[in-house]
Amino acid sequence: MSPSTLSPIAFPDVALPESACRLRAEVRAFLDDEHARGTVLGRPDSWLAGWDPGFSRRLAERGWVGMALPTEYGGAGRGFLERYVVIEELLAAGAPVSAHWVSDRQAGPSVLRYGTEEQRRFFLPRIAAGQCFFSIGMSEKSSGSDLASVATHAERAADGWRLTGTKMWTGGAHVNDYAIVLARTDDAEDKHAGLSQFIVDLRAPGVRVEPIRLMSGEHRFNAFHLEGVYVPDGMLLGQRGDGWKQVTGELAFERSGPERYLSTFPLLLSLLRELEQRSATAEQLTRLGILTARLHGIRRLSLGVAAALDAGASPDVQAALVKDLGTRLEGTLIDTVRSVLPTPADPHATPGSHPELLAFALLHSPGYTLRGGTNEILRGIITRGLEQH
């Protein structure tokens, strides 16, 4: 079955190209060097918590940021499956990739697909060089899972727009360069209509960023206030009124990647290192085997979505299924690690030790099934997809 004719829950059979094996070896050698210099710490949730623009630029120098972007725009033109291999290795190692994460994962592909030629020429080479970092301006205080009810609005101004509203949970808005903001440009009876996307300069007058701290005290997210922010016509992304269609297409990139099941993988590696120091029981090995089998199954589904994206399809339903299964596995992994080897979680333990990594994963775990759309919303998407076919 070709990816372009996928049914809502069908996934294409995927064989990674031969070049992927060579690429994987290159990435592992690079990560060994970075580990030796102290930049790769093996932490869970590194795609959210590991902001290191220097590391991002070193990846970019090797062509590993913007890999799926065309070469004419500064990308590597290597496709989503080869990009998948790089991302998989980076996440498994707990590498600090959050600086370029949104730019590489969804802002770049969105600008490529919907942007003007001027936008492509300006943003894409900078993204691929690790010099331009994006945030997501979707969720609002009363419009998290019900994204179509956003209250942020854009009013026409001279040669542009004035945006007013507040976006919540805007990761990296305090350190990034731009945000792609979903706003209402027209009143419509159907709340999914009349929405548009804008590229907003995070340092523009009228932008105010207020930190939202995690339980751990970390500053990763923000309330992102737009107080009459002027956005020129040239920063409208796509067509006026097509915002909903564009956002749902963008979510296929956000929901289906390895980050949806590998956020806690470094904790599993830590457990395996701990068990190497003692004799694991048959029961412990059985539970680890079941966990590993689930992980491999979800990886297979995720690779199917990457293949579909490579073929130009929009596998929104498949992506929702990957995220639902993957983020539940992340929580299960933490519970399994704690039961297989009961160890007190300790955020003040030696950095990189098993108790410290366990504490880090636990403190981040409430967000796994929330970010990128709650699992309840995802199951609604999957059900509607089945009903329509």
Side-chain angles (χ1 to χ4, degrees):
M1 179 180 293
S2 80
S4 59
T5 58
L6 288 172
S7 70
I9 57 172
F11 292 82
D13 192 25
V14 179
L16 288 171
E18 290 184 12
S19 58
C21 294
R22 296 190 297 273
L23 181 59
R24 193 181 296 279
E26 292 173 20
V27 177
R28 288 182 177 179
F30 168 78
L31 288 169
D32 286 342
D33 291 341
E34 289 291 326
H35 182 76
R37 69 191 293 174
T39 54
V40 175
L41 302 177
R43 304 192 71 85
D45 228 17
S46 63
W47 63 274
L48 173 71
W51 198 87
D52 185 339
F55 181 85
S56 295
R57 281 189 282 272
R58 290 193 294 278
L59 281 177
E61 289 169 1
R62 289 159 175 78
W64 296 340
V65 178
M67 289 183 68
L69 297 176
T71 55
E72 65 181 296
Y73 298 118
R78 298 186 73 162
F80 286 99
L81 286 173
E82 288 188 301
R83 176 186 177 273
Y84 193 100
V85 168
V86 173
I87 295 302
E88 194 170 43
E89 291 297 323
L90 293 171
L91 294 176
V97 294
S98 69
H100 70 274
W101 191 259
V102 169
S103 307
D104 180 66
R105 180 182 67 183
Q106 63 204 96
S110 292
V111 171
L112 177 65
R113 184 173 183 179
Y114 302 114
T116 63
E117 187 62 18
E118 183 178 4
Q119 288 170 351
R120 295 187 191 116
R121 295 287 175 191
F122 181 83
F123 287 109
L124 298 185
R126 290 169 172 78
I127 288 173
Q131 297 174 350
C132 183
F133 304 134
F134 272 78
S135 295
I136 303 169
M138 291 187 191
S139 295
E140 298 182 7
K141 188 173 183 179
S142 300
S143 303
S145 296
D146 184 17
L147 187 59
S149 66
V150 294
T152 296
H153 62 276
E155 296 180 349
R156 287 296 294 167
D159 300 319
W161 302 81
R162 292 280 178 189
L163 269 62
T164 303
T166 296
K167 296 294 181 179
M168 300 294 290
W169 308 110
T170 311
H174 58 302
V175 287
N176 290 339
D177 303 300
Y178 295 91
I180 297 181
V181 173
L182 181 67
R184 186 161 299 283
T185 48
D186 300 281
D187 292 327
E189 186 173 339
D190 179 0
K191 66 181 180 180
H192 298 89
L195 295 169
S196 304
Q197 286 187 304
F198 297 88
I199 300 174
V200 176
D201 185 342
L202 288 170
R203 294 167 183 78
V207 171
R208 183 167 58 87
V209 176
E210 177 185 357
I212 300 175
R213 297 195 177 274
L214 301 180
M215 289 191 298
S216 62
E218 297 168 84
H219 179 193
R220 308 295 179 191
F221 292 104
N222 306 273
F224 165 41
H225 304 283
L226 298 153
E227 299 170 344
V229 176
Y230 176 73
V231 180
D233 279 330
M235 290 297 102
L236 172 68
L237 180 61
Q239 298 298 313
R240 175 176 177 174
D242 281 354
W244 184 254
K245 179 183 72 174
Q246 295 172 199
V247 160
T248 53
E250 183 181 329
L251 288 173
F253 296 104
E254 182 178 351
R255 289 172 170 166
S256 64
E259 71 273 22
R260 296 308 177 188
Y261 63 90
L262 287 181
S263 291
T264 52
F265 187 78
L267 182 62
L268 177 60
L269 294 182
S270 176
L271 172 64
L272 293 174
R273 287 193 294 268
E274 290 291 316
L275 290 178
E276 283 180 348
Q277 307 302 317
R278 62 199 78 192
S279 297
T281 67
E283 182 183 356
Q284 288 174 322
L285 293 175
T286 298
R287 298 195 66 181
L288 287 175
I290 293 171
L291 191 66
T292 304
R294 286 182 60 184
L295 190 149
H296 277 283
I298 294 169
R299 177 180 183 268
R300 187 77 175 178
L301 300 182
S302 181
L303 275 168
V305 176
L309 291 171
D310 237 0
S314 296
D316 304 340
V317 176
Q318 291 92 335
L321 182 60
V322 169
K323 183 184 180 299
D324 177 47
L325 294 172
T327 54
R328 280 192 284 151
L329 174 66
E330 290 181 321
T332 300
L333 191 152
I334 295 175
D335 293 338
T336 301
V337 167
R338 296 176 76 189
S339 61
V340 167
L341 184 65
T343 302
D346 184 359
H348 305 296
T350 303
S353 67
H354 188 71
E356 192 264 346
L357 294 180
L358 177 58
F360 192 89
L362 280 169
L363 288 170
H364 280 240
S365 62
Y368 296 153
T369 59
L370 298 176
R371 58 197 184 193
T374 67
N375 284 27
E376 291 76 13
I377 291 295
L378 296 173
R379 291 167 199 168
I381 293 171
I382 296 165
T383 301
R384 287 192 296 274
L386 288 171
E387 290 173 345
Q388 291 168 6
H389 290 74

